[in-house]
Each structure stands twice: as C-alpha cells, then as structure tokens.
Amino acid sequence: MDLLSVNSVNKSYGGVIANIDVSLTVPKGKIVGIIGPNGSGKTTLFNSIVGHHPIDSGEIYFNGEEISSLPIPKIARLGMLRTFQQTHIYGKMTCIQNMQISSDIDANWKRVFNPFSKDVDEMVNELLAFVGLYKKRFLLAGDLSFGQQKLLEFAMALMKKPTILLLDEPTAGVNPTLINGLIDRLHQVNEEKGITLLVIEHNMRVVMNLAEHIYCLANGTMLADGKPDEIQNDQRVIDAYLGN
Amino acid sequence: MIIKNKQNNFIWLGLAISAIAPFFFPNHITLLTYIWVMIILALTWDMLGGQTGYTSFGNILFFGVGMYVCAVVQRDMFSSGLDRFERVSEVVVSLNASEYFISLAVGTFSGAIVAVLLAVILGSGILGMRGHYFAICTLGLGHAAAEITSGIEYLGAGSGMVTPIYPSELLVGKEGFYYYAFLLVAITTFFLFRKIYQSQFGLALNAIRDNENKAESMGIHTTQYKIAGWSISAFFLAIAGAGVGNVIGFIDPVEIAFSGPTFGVWMIVMAILGGKGTIWGPVLGAIILYSAKETFWTYLLGWDKVALGLLILIVVVYFPKGILGYFKERKQLSNSILSQKGES
C-alpha cells in the first residue's frame, strides 16, 4: 500500500517554476530517495508535502487521506514529520528539553501544566543514547556542532513516533565517520521501528546504500525513477548532473 | 537538591521579612506596596516578552481595563449614585465595610475576566504575527484604549473616576490592607508562574521563542500557546490594575490607567533589567528599578530621570541579558567547558 502519494503537483514562486507535474509514491515501510542537482525543486517538493506552502495544482495523499491543503501542525499530528537542510533546533534549551518538548505534549490538554512524565524522560534518554548524544544531554542545543545538531533533530523527530519521516539532506555537513553511523541508524529506524523514510540526499554513496527506490528531479520535473543501479546508469541522470 | 533547598530558605526568609515590614516602616507602607505591584507587572510581562520572546508594548491595556472594570463595579454594585451628580468624575460612593470588600472582590474578578476575554480576542487577531510585527501591532493598544475611554461619559471621560473611600471603622487601615493584598497576589503570581515555567506548557513557550517554525513543524499549535500565555498574564495584570486604582483613589485614562510612559515602560525595563526569560529576573529587576527610582526621586530631584536613564544604560551596555541572564550565561559556559574537558 502506498503511504504517501503525490499526484502531478505544480508549484511556482511568482515567475520561477519550482515543480512541474511532479508525481511520486512512497510505499509503506520502505526507504525512498530523491536526488537532483541544486535548484531542481527537491526542497520545494518537501515543503509542498508537509503543508509549508499551498500548491498550485495537484493532489497529495497520506494514508489515503488528502492533505494538500492542511496546515503544518495538522499534518505533523497525522504522523508525517520532516527535518530541515539547515538544522532547526531550539538553541537556548538543553538537549533534554529539546527532546521533551518534541514528545506529544498537547495530546492531553489537562496535563499541559504538569511536568513531563517518567515515560517521556525514559524515551528521551533512550533516544539520546541511540544517536550518541547522551553525554551532551545537559548542554544547550545551540552549543552543539552542526553534525550533532543534525543528530539531535533526527532524535527529536523520533520522539513523535512518526509514521513517515522526510529527511532533507541528513548527511550534509556531517563528518564522514559519523555518516556511516547515521546510515546504520536510519536502517535501524526503518527496520525496527517500521518508520518509512523519504530522503533527499546529495551524497550518492549514501543514497545508493540507503534507498530501495530513487527519484531524480531536474529543473523542477521528474526526470527518472528506478532502482539505485538503474538510476546510476541512466544517461539522462548523468547528463543532468554533469550539466549537459 | 542543595541549591533548591537554599533557594527555598531564601524565599521563606524573604516572605518573613515582607510580612513584618509594614510594622517597621509604618510611614512607607504604600511605597512597599508598589514594590509588589511592580513585581506583578514585571512577572506578567515576562510570560510573553521573556519566555516566549514576543515583545509586547500593549500589556498596559489589561492593567487599565482591570482598573476601570473594577471601579465601575464598585461604583454601581450597591448604589446608583450616578444620577445624583452632574459629572461622573465627581461621583464618590461611600460603602460600609462588607459592601466595600464584596464589590472590590467582584470588581477585581470581573476586571480579570474582561481582560482575559480581551487577550483572547486580540490575541487570535494579532498573535498569528511573528516577533517584530506583533510588537508593532501592540504599540497602539494602550493609547487607543486611553482615547476610547476619554470619550465615554459613563467612565468619567477624560476627567476619570474616583474609587470608593475605604471604610474607616476597620481595624486594618487602607494601606495595610492593600499591602497584604498585593503581597498575596504577587506571591501567588510568582509560584504559579514558576510552576508553569517548569511544566510542558512553559517549555512550549520556550520552544516558540527559540524556533517557532520548528515548533510548528513538530505539531505544536503555537498560536494557541501564545494566546493562553497572554491570557494568563492579562488575568494577573488586571488584578494588579484593580488594586492600584484603589490605592491611588483616583483613575484617569491617560496618566494612570493606560499610562504607557510610566507603568507600561517600567514593566518592560524591569523584566529586561533583571533578566528576561527567568523567573527571578523580573522580581529582582522590579525591586532594583523601583528602589532606584524612589531613591533618585528623593535625593536627586530634578535629575532623577537622568540618573534612572543612566542606570538603565549601564545595565544595557554591561548586562545586555539582564543581571540574572548574565549569571545564567556564565554558568552555562562553565558547564560547556567542563563537558569538553571530560570528553578529551
């Protein structure tokens, strides 16, 4: 069953056309990758999916429900979360607080004036250990390095127990040794927690390792899609990257 | 744990001193009362201004609304003295003790409720705007309220209103009563706000301050939290306004109730001076600023505003994060150095 399906979405910013007739499907429990040269409309597509801006035409379905015109918090509550290319964390709060606030706080309005429950704190410690930030838990998130902030943001998304996670360049700016660890964790999250992943990635080695199916965007249109080795040998994709 | 015990001891000591202070300074009770008023003003401003990072210049609106609603209830609840006088501003109602306190309690509570309603209505209109845009929007609130009030004859128009005279036959005098009333409200506000800042709600406000886009993308209904925060502030601010109207004994739309240049600015300066975004900062800032203001006024009359300005300047230059913000930052820095040492 397709968890997420995007049907002929168009989006333009004034005269700049960012997405033209883009369609893709993400089956439940899989890892799907999106590649494409800079400015090809990948992040715009992410923004359209999570409701960051209205789309010009087309439909987006999540779990069988149309979400094309829902606002961001509603879509997030349905179980679709995204991380950002530039890290978005709460800089003046400690790592623990960053994680706590990412739990499902207003699930119960009556408890909103209580401190966080023990279950939440346990989950926080467990997930911080999972991404290797347990030692840094009392530090302000803003004092972490860029790579560590990316890991923190990833852990924060996991606090919400999402159905699908949209990752915008999870390895950009992360050092090469950490990247291997991150790939392992992404696989682990996918297999053990059953979280579907949709990943924008520039690092070919990472995306070929990770994704089972890859879409390639160029100049706002869907250029090609297929298995990693098909994409790797597709002449159109090679041309797009080399600028022909 | 030890730090927490120390803090609690400190609080108890402070409360004990506060409780007996009126007996030692019987001539300065009203002055001491104003310190509690200032603490309430600074604390309520900090809920949105410090913890949520939404600078509001319009909180004075709730202060004045509380003051006026309470005064109207006090005037009209037990006597319809309106028709006996030609001008509303000359109406002086005399009430017996039970009437006085009942109308005061009902008036204060109604004032607080009206202020909360206003915060919800205004908030759903302008709290959807981000940061600076919200600040600009709030600039005119106090002024608009003053202008509107000045045009309503029922509220005494530009000449204002006189609050009822405190019943004379009582054991506790007017000054003593309002001192302890404000002490109680300030303490309630402090402990309630401290509990809120330690709760999930408080952390959500901080998250909005640090990165509202992120908070939204994580499914937090940010506007609702901001409105709720503003409403809580408005509630306590209106209570303070209702009391201050009675302490002064006279209400005027421009100079007292919606007075942006005095109460409206002080609440912001006090919170920033002490350290916005902390629970003790506004308390400290209120005590320091108000004491400084009174001292300068007593000893440097004519130059008091200059001296006060100089004090604010020094704080802004050397402690841009406020007094407590400065210490908090140093502590965080040493934490960070320690952990780096531990790592290597």
Side-chain angles (χ1 to χ4, degrees):
Chain A
M1 180 200 153
D2 292 334
L3 188 62
L4 175 70
S5 69
V6 175
N7 301 333
S8 4
V9 163
N10 287 288
K11 174 69 194 173
S12 59
Y13 300 105
V16 182
I17 302 165
N19 283 157
I20 310 159
D21 201 25
V22 171
S23 302
L24 63 80
T25 55
V26 181
K28 196 169 182 141
K30 300 276 189 228
I31 303 179
V32 173
I34 301 178
I35 60 170
N38 290 327
S40 58
K42 306 182 295 293
T43 301
T44 299
L45 181 62
F46 260 32
N47 285 339
S48 300
I49 294 172
V50 300
H52 186 74
H53 51 52
I55 53 175
D56 299 340
S57 64
E59 297 120 33
I60 301 166
Y61 289 92
F62 175 55
N63 242 341
E65 185 184 344
E66 182 161 9
I67 57 165
S68 320
S69 55
L70 292 183
I72 304 177
K74 275 223 174 106
I75 294 178
R77 288 163 162 280
L78 290 174
M80 170 149 57
L81 286 185
R82 65 93 57 95
T83 65
F84 293 85
Q85 199 172 343
Q86 296 300 321
T87 56
H88 280 215
I89 40 102
Y90 310 118
K92 299 273 176 216
M93 289 158 50
T94 64
C95 295
I96 291 184
Q97 288 176 323
N98 267 271
M99 294 292 282
Q100 284 176 329
I101 196 62
S102 304
S103 65
D104 211 1
I105 58 161
D106 38 18
N108 189 343
W109 263 102
K110 279 178 215 149
R111 262 188 282 156
V112 87
F113 288 106
N114 292 357
F116 288 93
S117 67
K118 278 227 170 71
D119 297 347
V120 168
D121 288 344
E122 264 168 35
M123 199 174 162
V124 165
N125 287 337
E126 188 187 309
L127 283 173
L128 279 176
F130 176 67
V131 297
L133 287 175
Y134 187 71
K135 266 191 189 165
K136 307 259 177 194
R137 64 194 185 282
F138 294 118
L139 290 192
L140 293 188
D143 290 344
L144 297 178
S145 73
F146 185 76
Q148 288 167 336
Q149 289 184 1
K150 285 228 148 185
L151 290 172
L152 178 65
E153 202 184 0
F154 174 54
M156 283 158 73
L158 294 180
M159 281 298 290
K160 274 256 148 56
K161 298 179 185 152
T163 328
I164 183 169
L165 206 50
L166 281 64
L167 303 165
D168 199 344
E169 299 196 22
T171 65
V174 178
N175 82 52
T177 36
L178 221 57
I179 287 183
N180 288 334
L182 190 59
I183 297 176
D184 289 344
R185 285 182 186 119
L186 289 174
H187 272 300
Q188 225 177 318
V189 158
N190 178 248
E191 281 156 23
E192 288 169 14
K193 299 183 197 279
I195 298 172
T196 310
L197 299 175
L198 178 59
V199 188
I200 292 179
E201 189 51 71
H202 268 305
N203 188 328
M204 284 303 152
R205 185 177 66 86
V206 173
V207 79
M208 296 300 161
N209 257 319
L210 203 59
E212 294 154 66
H213 197 93
I214 294 173
Y215 288 88
C216 178
L217 274 171
N219 293 324
T221 52
M222 197 57 85
L223 193 66
D225 75 281
K227 296 224 156 30
D229 45 336
E230 291 169 16
I231 287 289
Q232 234 166 349
N233 301 318
D234 193 308
Q235 193 55 44
R236 290 171 302 173
V237 175
I238 296 166
D239 287 347
Y241 265 92
L242 295 180
N244 261 333
Chain B
M1 232 20 191
I2 296 163
I3 295 171
K4 203 162 191 188
N5 279 339
K6 245 187 192 169
Q7 205 188 60
N8 280 340
N9 287 343
F10 182 64
I11 291 174
W12 287 120
L13 186 72
L15 285 183
I17 293 173
S18 312
I20 54 170
F23 298 102
F24 289 98
F25 305 102
N27 299 324
H28 298 95
I29 298 179
T30 306
L31 203 88
L32 294 171
T33 309
Y34 271 107
I35 289 187
W36 298 115
V37 175
M38 294 301 156
I39 289 176
I40 300 169
L41 294 190
L43 275 173
T44 52
W45 185 84
D46 195 56
M47 169 84 79
L48 221 62
Q51 299 284 348
T52 322
Y54 270 71
T55 306
S56 161
F57 296 107
N59 279 13
I60 189 72
L61 170 74
F62 306 125
F63 183 76
V65 163
M67 200 180 270
Y68 264 103
V69 172
C70 179
V72 167
V73 170
Q74 283 177 296
R75 183 189 67 193
D76 294 347
M77 194 171 172
F78 289 106
S79 68
S80 53
L82 261 182
D83 27 313
R84 283 186 283 125
F85 295 84
E86 257 174 39
R87 290 158 60 88
V88 178
S89 56
E90 287 162 4
V91 176
V92 182
V93 182
S94 49
L95 302 167
N96 66 33
S98 65
E99 283 174 348
Y100 183 85
F101 289 115
I102 290 171
S103 64
L104 178 67
V106 173
T108 306
F109 190 69
S110 338
I113 295 298
V114 173
V116 168
L117 288 178
L118 261 177
V120 171
I121 294 166
L122 280 171
S124 35
I126 63 178
L127 271 171
M129 271 179 281
R130 295 284 170 94
H132 301 305
Y133 299 99
F134 169 77
I136 292 167
C137 247
T138 57
L139 264 177
L141 284 182
H143 199 68
E147 288 296 321
I148 293 169
T149 316
S150 302
I152 302 174
E153 184 56 33
Y154 179 68
L155 300 174
S159 334
M161 289 169 69
V162 178
T163 45
I165 296 161
Y166 189 81
S168 54
E169 70 268 26
L170 288 173
L171 199 64
V172 185
K174 176 184 168 182
E175 289 181 327
F177 169 74
Y178 282 105
Y179 175 83
Y180 287 107
F182 271 112
L183 175 67
L184 193 71
V185 176
I187 291 170
T188 314
T189 312
F190 177 84
F191 281 108
L192 189 82
F193 277 36
R194 194 171 76 160
K195 185 171 157 37
I196 288 175
Y197 295 152
Q198 287 163 349
S199 74
Q200 310 184 10
F201 184 86
L203 210 52
L205 295 183
N206 291 160
I208 293 169
R209 175 194 65 197
D210 281 3
N211 194 333
E212 190 164 352
N213 282 331
K214 176 68 178 177
E216 212 167 41
S217 73
M218 293 298 280
I220 297 175
H221 293 292
T222 53
T223 309
Q224 289 175 15
Y225 278 92
K226 286 182 279 181
I227 294 173
W230 213 26
S231 307
I232 296 169
S233 298
F235 185 85
F236 288 98
L237 204 46
I239 292 177
V244 169
N246 279 286
V247 170
I248 298 178
F250 168 73
I251 296 177
D252 160 84
V254 181
E255 300 286 325
I256 298 169
F258 302 107
S259 171
T262 59
F263 295 115
V265 171
W266 290 343
M267 62 172 95
I268 303 172
V269 174
M270 290 183 299
I272 293 174
L273 179 85
K276 63 176 186 173
T278 60
I279 183 73
W280 280 105
V283 178
L284 195 68
I287 294 171
I288 292 176
L289 188 89
Y290 194 71
S291 319
K293 191 178 91 62
E294 289 300 319
T295 318
F296 293 156
W297 191 77
T298 314
Y299 297 105
L300 298 170
L301 191 60
W303 288 86
D304 57 327
K305 294 245 161 68
V306 179
L308 200 63
L310 205 64
L311 174 76
I312 294 169
L313 205 70
I314 290 169
V315 168
V316 170
V317 172
Y318 292 102
F319 304 94
K321 305 228 157 131
I323 297 162
L324 278 191
Y326 173 77
F327 288 111
K328 200 174 159 190
E329 204 165 63
R330 284 183 63 118
K331 193 181 150 203
Q332 203 65 52
L333 196 70
S334 67
N335 262 359
S336 157
I337 292 168
L338 277 181
S339 93
Q340 270 166 20
K341 273 187 189 157
E343 194 184 64
S344 63

